[in-house]
Amino acid sequence: MASVPSNTKHEKTSICSIASKGTCVALAAAVAFSNPQPLSAFATENASPQTNNNDTDSSVARATISKEEALAAMTLQEATDALNEAQTNLTDAEKNHSEAVAEAEAARTAYEQAVSNQEAAKQALAEAQNAAAGITPEAVEHAQAAANAATAELSAAQCELAEAETTLEGAQKSHRIAQTALEEAQAQLSVAQAALSEAEQAEASAQAAYDNAAAAFEQAEANATDEGRAQLQGEIAAAQTELAVANDARAAAQEEASRAQTELSQAQIAVDQAGQTVQAAQAVTDEAQASATAAEEQQTQAQTALDAARQQRDTNAAAKNAVLADVSAKEQACADAEAAEQAALQAKEVADAAVSRAEIDLADAKARAEGVDEAISKGSIGLIEWMLQKDDLTEDQINDLNQALKVLEDAQKEDFSRWYGGENVNFGENRNGKIVVTGDVKDAISLKNTQKGIDIMKKIIELRATDENFCNIIDGGTASTNFYLMAVTQAATDRGAGLRRHSLLLVSCENLAFGYPDPTRGWYDQEKARFNKIRDGLGINAPLTADDVKRIESEAEQRDVTIGHYTNLFWNANQVMGAGFTQYGITSGYSASKASNYEYVYSVDEFENLFKEYQQSLQDAQGAVEQAQATLDSARTAQSEAELNITATTASNVAANEALAQAADALSRAEQALATSDANIEEKTAALEEAARVTEAAHAALNHTKEQLAEAATDLAEKEAGVSAKQNALNAAESTLDSANSLVEEKRQAETEAIANLEQVDATLAQAQAAMSDAKATLDNATVNRQAAQSKTDAAAEQAKNAYDAEQDVSDKLATAQSTRDEKQRIYAEKQALHDDAQSALSELTDKMQTLEEAQHFATSSEEDTQIANDLLHAAEQREEETEQSLEKAKQRMLEAQATYSVISESSQALTEQNSATAPMTADNSAVELSTDSAESAKPLPQTGDHNMGLVGLAGTGIIASLSALMLSIKRRLKLQA
């Protein structure tokens, strides 16, 4: 029995999983395969009419048909396909029958094992009852009292021993502390003595270093006299003056060189620009010359074209006059035919309008029907959306519907992979691993499964009304529902089907059941039997009080017996509940909470009436399509009759219009030709005038560009002469600048050397003084360190003496505590032996009682396993019989297909030989195609499977899985019994 933590809004949560017991898994599989309809439906769909084994000869006779009938019935390719399909179905049927035989044999073995196990359980129960026969409550009570007394004495001895050990541990700890303190004091003394020796040596070394530094300072001070410093400073001043004069000269030379470079750059730019101008003027001149020549040629061509256009216009005008007379005669004939046709056309327009209206009505009806299909695919989501469109809803109803819609929409986005083990859930690729999926008829939200959930709630209401245990507790209370509870339960059912356990709890309690078409068989029938057994064992009579229920639940928990699903059905006197069902794992769900937690609820009948009203609205929309189709068919019939009425008049009108169209086309061509000639003359005249204008402009432009080219060449020559003079000036300025730079560098070096000489004298004196100060500081520090080391050495010696005295005192106390602890250990050992003897006597009695209880449980479970094995055997034998019938039908169809193929193949071959004898080698395509068919017919027949066969294989796999689960359960119980 699994338990989920309670929501803080409610008092208690007890959620149980039916699938926690191996027996329930096997029973679920037995129920799932006890109904043979899917297998029967498959056999009917894929088999020919049923025949017995002794009908084989007559089947062959029926399969023998004439060549003419075979050729009329099908082609060679169709016969080949039929034979392939018959072979595939026969192979699959043989395979399925073999699997069914094996499954039936496995089921018989499991049943025999279950019967044997049941006999062994009965024997074990008898032996356990014999072993426990001499045990009385007084004997158990006496053994328990002796064990309690021995335990009390052992506890007292244990307390005294613990106290002695605590005292010993304290003494040992004090001794370890004293020893550690002595060792640390001795180590500190050694360290202090070594530090004192080092400090004395450091003080002597510092004194010698200070004496040497003082002597060096006296020598440096003698060297730095006032006369020497004054001479060095004079040399520095003279060098700085000469450097300033050199820098001024270099700056003037730099300025002159920069000016010359700027003038040269500007002159070169002017030359480059003048050269580009000359090149551009030459290009323009060449282009103007080419344009003038082309314009002269274009003017000549334009004059020739104008002369030809004038001649063509005269020819076209004469042709138009001849066509005009013919058009007038044919226009009158066309008008007469048109009048006759109009009356018939008007009648057809009326019929067309009727058809259009009917088609629109049919399209609207189909659109509404498509909306119905979409609504059906949405399941309970479509029901919620339909409810939200109602006008008379209260605010509380709207809130309930919106909350329900959000629960299902969130579940559509939720992946199984977010839960532990959910990555292994696979209900098909179309579900994409989601909890809730619309359009899946197996999903808990489908309309069929929503009705199943309503039926479960109605069954629960019936059970609540008749239950003798809880009649006083619920005291006539009602169980209602709402859309939120239904949405929560449907999502929980889908989630539970994949995870096979509880996960997300949004209400007070939740039940799940796996493999039960009617989950109340597990929740109510089975668990109530356990509940009543415990109730009777406690001497409690129905009807119960709340305290009675708590006593029974407590006892069930101690015995590890599941009754929580049963008690959850009576969660509250006035409760709101929901129920869900999905074909995945044949999973059912139930949730409940107090009615006071919700603002709006419906009775289950009210909820079902709304559901039925919604389904009726979907059915009404689908019926409108049929009515609209009938109306359209009638309108199209009238339209066809109108079309027949105008056939005759249309034919004569078409002929007249064709003649007129031909004449009008001829006139149009003549007019177009004349108009084209006129337009061509105007175009050619304009072209000639334009060509003359272009030629004149081209000559003027050529003369102008020649003048611009001459001016540009003169300007380029003048600018090239100025560049040479600017280059000479730049060369002279750069030479002067190089000389000035050399002089500046020479004067800067002299200044640097004079400054360095003065700095060297000052640096030597400063270094000597600093060294003497450092040596003095080092000496003072060494003296202080030596005095501190002496003080530490004296203190460490005193501390080591005190630690030695303390260690001697703690050692005496440790010896006393050790002796006391040893005596207490001896006394505790004596009490432990007495306690073990008393416990052994008590355990022997309780083990026999426990063995008896386990044997009773094993006997009950073995009886249940035998019933499950019997159900599985019945299902397997039924499937064996059905697959045998399917095999016989497949054999019959194979014989018929082989006979048909033989006749078609022989006829096709004869036809091929006849065509080959009469047709040349370069025959038409039909001969080639016949030869190809014959070649194809010689290929081996393909071996393909039928996708429907997978259903039978899957069912067989389910039975084997159920048998495996049952055998595993039986072996586990045998092991426990042993």
Side-chain angles (χ1 to χ4, degrees):
M1 171 172 169
S3 178
V4 175
S6 171
N7 190 309
T8 56
K9 185 177 180 181
H10 310 300
E11 310 86 36
K12 165 184 160 187
T13 299
S14 176
I15 302 177
C16 311
S17 176
I18 284 290
S20 62
K21 300 296 183 180
T23 301
C24 294
V25 173
L27 181 58
V31 173
F33 292 102
S34 63
N35 187 348
Q37 282 89 344
L39 299 181
S40 300
F42 167 78
T44 300
E45 179 182 351
N46 291 279
S48 57
Q50 182 174 350
T51 58
N52 297 324
N53 292 336
N54 56 12
D55 290 337
T56 302
D57 294 337
S58 61
S59 299
V60 173
R62 287 196 301 272
T64 304
I65 59 177
S66 68
K67 293 181 179 181
E68 292 76 7
E69 291 173 337
L71 289 173
M74 62 178 68
T75 65
L76 178 60
Q77 183 60 49
E78 290 173 342
T80 302
D81 292 341
L83 182 59
N84 290 344
E85 181 180 0
Q87 179 62 54
T88 298
N89 290 340
L90 177 58
T91 301
D92 291 342
E94 290 173 343
K95 178 181 177 183
N96 289 334
H97 182 58
S98 298
E99 292 175 351
V101 171
E103 292 163 6
E105 185 61 31
R108 293 187 189 97
T109 301
Y111 176 71
E112 292 170 358
Q113 179 62 50
V115 171
S116 176
N117 189 33
Q118 184 177 5
E119 293 300 324
K122 292 179 180 178
Q123 180 64 30
L125 177 59
E127 293 174 357
Q129 288 172 339
N130 292 334
I135 300 176
T136 63
E138 291 78 9
V140 175
E141 183 177 356
H142 178 72
Q144 183 67 59
N148 293 342
T151 300
E153 293 178 1
L154 179 63
S155 297
Q158 187 176 18
C159 290
E160 293 178 0
L161 176 60
E163 183 178 355
E165 287 180 340
T166 300
T167 302
L168 176 59
E169 289 175 358
Q172 290 173 337
K173 181 177 180 181
S174 299
H175 184 255
R176 288 194 297 271
I177 292 173
Q179 283 183 326
T180 301
L182 176 59
E183 292 170 357
E184 290 178 352
Q186 291 173 343
Q188 290 176 359
L189 177 59
S190 299
V191 171
Q193 289 173 342
L196 176 60
S197 177
E198 292 177 0
E200 290 174 344
Q201 293 176 2
E203 184 180 19
S205 298
Q207 183 64 55
Y210 174 71
D211 294 341
N212 293 335
F217 175 72
E218 290 177 358
Q219 181 63 43
E221 191 174 28
N223 292 337
T225 61
D226 293 339
E227 292 82 1
R229 294 174 62 84
Q231 181 180 355
L232 291 173
Q233 290 174 345
E235 293 175 358
I236 292 173
Q240 290 175 340
T241 300
E242 293 176 355
L243 177 61
V245 172
N247 279 328
D248 292 342
R250 182 178 65 174
Q254 179 66 52
E255 182 178 358
E256 180 61 24
S258 298
R259 184 185 62 76
Q261 180 63 54
T262 300
E263 291 179 354
L264 175 61
S265 299
Q266 293 174 346
Q268 185 61 51
I269 291 172
V271 169
D272 294 342
Q273 293 176 345
Q276 294 174 357
T277 302
V278 170
Q279 293 177 357
Q282 183 63 54
V284 171
T285 300
D286 294 342
E287 183 178 356
Q289 181 63 58
S291 298
T293 302
E296 292 172 354
E297 294 176 355
Q298 186 67 28
Q299 184 176 1
T300 301
Q301 294 174 358
Q303 183 62 55
T304 301
L306 176 59
D307 295 340
R310 287 171 176 168
Q311 183 176 1
Q312 182 63 41
R313 196 267 179 195
D314 295 337
T315 301
N316 292 340
K320 176 187 174 183
N321 293 332
V323 174
L324 277 173
D326 184 56
V327 169
S328 298
K330 291 181 177 178
E331 282 178 345
Q332 183 59 45
C334 185
D336 296 338
E338 180 70 17
E341 185 182 20
Q342 286 303 314
L345 289 176
Q346 291 176 358
K348 185 177 182 298
E349 288 178 357
V350 174
D352 289 343
V355 170
S356 297
R357 286 194 301 273
E359 288 175 341
I360 292 173
D361 293 341
L362 178 60
D364 291 342
K366 287 183 176 180
R368 289 192 297 272
E370 290 175 356
V372 168
D373 292 339
E374 181 181 359
I376 292 174
S377 70
K378 288 183 177 180
S380 58
I381 294 178
L383 170 63
I384 294 171
E385 293 175 345
W386 173 78
M387 279 291 297
L388 285 170
Q389 294 175 1
K390 288 181 174 290
D391 297 330
D392 57 346
L393 298 178
T394 66
E395 190 67 23
D396 292 339
Q397 284 180 289
I398 294 173
N399 290 338
D400 173 48
L401 290 165
N402 286 331
Q403 290 174 359
L405 186 60
K406 185 178 187 307
V407 168
L408 295 180
E409 287 176 344
D410 290 346
Q412 286 181 284
K413 303 171 186 176
E414 180 183 349
D415 290 318
F416 271 111
S417 59
R418 67 163 288 194
W419 299 99
Y420 176 77
E423 64 276 3
N424 299 321
V425 177
N426 183 11
F427 287 160
E429 295 180 357
N430 60 318
R431 291 185 66 90
N432 199 26
K434 301 299 183 184
I435 301 297
V436 169
V437 176
T438 59
D440 186 352
V441 296
K442 294 182 179 180
D443 197 282
I445 71 168
S446 70
L447 295 182
K448 179 179 179 181
N449 287 340
T450 299
Q451 180 63 61
K452 176 69 173 179
I454 294 173
D455 294 338
I456 292 173
M457 289 193 297
K458 292 168 68 176
K459 180 66 175 293
I460 291 172
I461 290 176
E462 293 175 6
L463 297 174
R464 282 168 55 93
T466 58
D467 186 86
E468 74 279 8
N469 289 323
F470 289 84
C471 58
N472 283 352
I473 296 176
I474 64 175
D475 192 24
T478 59
S480 54
T481 188
N482 61 18
F483 284 90
Y484 174 74
L485 258 293
M486 285 296 292
V488 167
T489 310
Q490 287 177 334
T493 303
D494 283 338
R495 196 181 293 108
L499 300 178
R500 310 300 289 177
R501 57 180 168 82
H502 296 286
S503 53
L504 180 64
L505 182 65
L506 298 177
V507 292
S508 296
C509 71
E510 176 185 285
N511 284 357
L512 289 176
F514 308 108
Y516 286 79
D518 179 6
T520 61
R521 285 184 53 196
W523 295 341
Y524 187 87
D525 296 342
Q526 294 180 4
E527 291 194 18
K528 181 181 179 181
R530 301 171 192 163
F531 182 96
N532 288 346
K533 184 176 180 179
I534 296 174
R535 180 200 67 190
D536 296 339
L538 294 175
I540 302 174
N541 296 322
L544 307 179
T545 65
D547 291 338
D548 292 337
V549 175
K550 290 180 180 179
R551 287 182 58 198
I552 296 172
E553 288 177 337
S554 176
E555 183 67 17
E557 184 175 1
Q558 293 179 8
R559 297 186 186 182
D560 194 20
V561 175
T562 300
I563 61 171
H565 302 94
Y566 168 65
T567 57
N568 277 350
L569 300 180
F570 307 89
W571 179 260
N572 194 261
N574 295 299
Q575 70 180 32
V576 184
M577 63 180 177
F581 178 83
T582 173
Q583 284 77 15
Y584 292 112
I586 313 179
T587 304
S588 301
Y590 158 84
S591 301
S593 188
K594 290 182 179 180
S596 59
N597 293 331
Y598 301 95
E599 296 173 343
Y600 198 92
V601 297
Y602 306 83
S603 70
V604 174
D605 288 340
E606 289 174 342
F607 189 93
E608 185 177 29
N609 289 337
L610 289 173
F611 179 76
K612 290 181 177 178
E613 181 184 348
Y614 173 62
Q615 287 187 308
Q616 186 60 48
S617 69
L618 300 180
Q619 294 172 2
D620 292 343
Q622 291 173 326
V625 175
E626 298 176 358
Q627 180 61 38
Q629 183 65 56
T631 302
L632 176 60
D633 293 342
S634 176
R636 283 176 175 170
T637 300
Q639 184 185 48
S640 299
E641 293 174 354
E643 289 174 349
L644 293 175
N645 291 333
I646 65 173
T647 300
T649 57
T650 300
S652 60
N653 190 26
V654 168
N657 276 282
E658 287 176 351
L660 176 61
Q662 293 173 357
D665 183 64
L667 177 60
S668 176
R669 289 195 300 273
E671 291 175 341
Q672 181 63 34
L674 181 60
T676 300
S677 298
D678 292 337
N680 194 28
I681 289 174
E682 293 177 359
E683 179 183 351
K684 301 306 182 193
T685 301
L688 177 62
E689 294 173 353
E690 177 63 19
R693 185 191 63 75
V694 170
T695 300
E696 182 180 358
H699 282 292
L702 177 62
N703 294 333
H704 179 69
T705 56
K706 288 180 178 179
E707 294 174 357
Q708 290 180 333
L709 176 61
E711 293 174 357
T714 301
D715 182 62
L716 174 61
E718 293 175 354
K719 286 181 170 56
E720 286 176 342
V723 169
S724 178
K726 300 297 183 183
Q727 184 63 53
N728 293 334
L730 174 62
N731 293 340
E734 288 178 344
S735 176
T736 302
L737 177 61
D738 291 342
S739 300
N741 285 333
S742 299
L743 181 61
V744 168
E745 185 60 31
E746 178 182 347
K747 298 304 180 181
R748 180 181 289 112
Q749 182 63 32
E751 179 193 24
T752 301
E753 291 176 355
I755 292 173
N757 292 336
L758 178 59
E759 290 175 349
Q760 182 62 41
V761 171
D762 292 337
T764 301
L765 178 61
Q767 290 174 357
Q769 186 174 9
M772 182 179 69
S773 298
D774 292 343
K776 177 59 176 174
T778 301
L779 175 59
D780 292 342
N781 187 52
T783 301
V784 171
N785 290 341
R786 189 262 307 163
Q787 293 172 350
Q790 183 64 55
S791 298
K792 290 182 178 179
T793 300
D794 295 341
E798 179 65 22
Q799 186 175 2
K801 179 180 181 302
N802 294 337
Y804 176 78
D805 294 340
E807 192 273 338
Q808 291 298 314
D809 182 59
V810 170
S811 295
D812 295 339
K813 294 180 180 179
L814 175 60
T816 301
Q818 182 71 46
S819 176
T820 302
R821 194 282 309 268
D822 293 343
E823 176 62 20
K824 298 299 182 182
Q825 278 185 332
R826 183 190 63 77
I827 296 172
Y828 177 77
E830 293 177 353
K831 301 298 183 181
Q832 181 67 54
L834 295 174
H835 175 268
D836 292 344
D837 293 341
Q839 287 294 331
S840 177
L842 178 61
S843 296
E844 182 178 358
L845 297 178
T846 56
D847 288 345
K848 291 180 179 180
M849 296 300 294
Q850 179 65 26
T851 300
L852 175 59
E853 184 177 351
E854 291 176 353
Q856 291 172 338
H857 177 70
F858 180 55
T860 302
S861 300
S862 299
E863 184 178 355
E864 294 175 354
D865 290 343
T866 301
Q867 182 59 44
I868 293 170
N870 185 50
D871 293 341
L872 289 174
L873 175 59
H874 175 72
E877 289 175 342
Q878 185 172 0
R879 180 172 181 263
E880 180 183 8
E881 180 181 353
E882 290 174 352
T883 56
E884 182 177 2
Q885 294 175 359
S886 296
L887 176 59
E888 292 305 321
K889 293 175 183 177
K891 289 178 179 179
Q892 167 66 18
R893 295 182 67 184
M894 182 63 185
L895 291 174
E896 294 174 355
Q898 287 175 335
T900 301
Y901 175 80
S902 176
V903 172
I904 297 296
S905 178
E906 291 174 1
S907 300
S908 177
Q909 182 63 32
L911 181 60
T912 301
E913 293 173 355
Q914 179 181 357
N915 290 340
S916 299
T918 57
M921 293 302 293
T922 57
D924 61 10
N925 291 336
S926 62
V928 176
E929 291 173 357
L930 180 59
S931 176
T932 301
D933 289 342
S934 300
E936 289 294 332
S937 67
K939 294 181 180 178
L941 298 180
Q943 300 299 318
T944 60
D946 188 297
H947 68 277
N948 288 325
M949 289 296 182
L951 298 175
V952 175
L954 179 60
T957 302
I959 293 177
I960 291 298
S962 301
L963 290 173
S964 299
L966 177 60
M967 292 300 294
L968 179 61
S969 175
I970 292 172
K971 291 178 181 179
R972 185 182 297 112
R973 290 171 183 157
L974 286 173
K975 182 177 180 181
L976 292 175
Q977 182 65 17

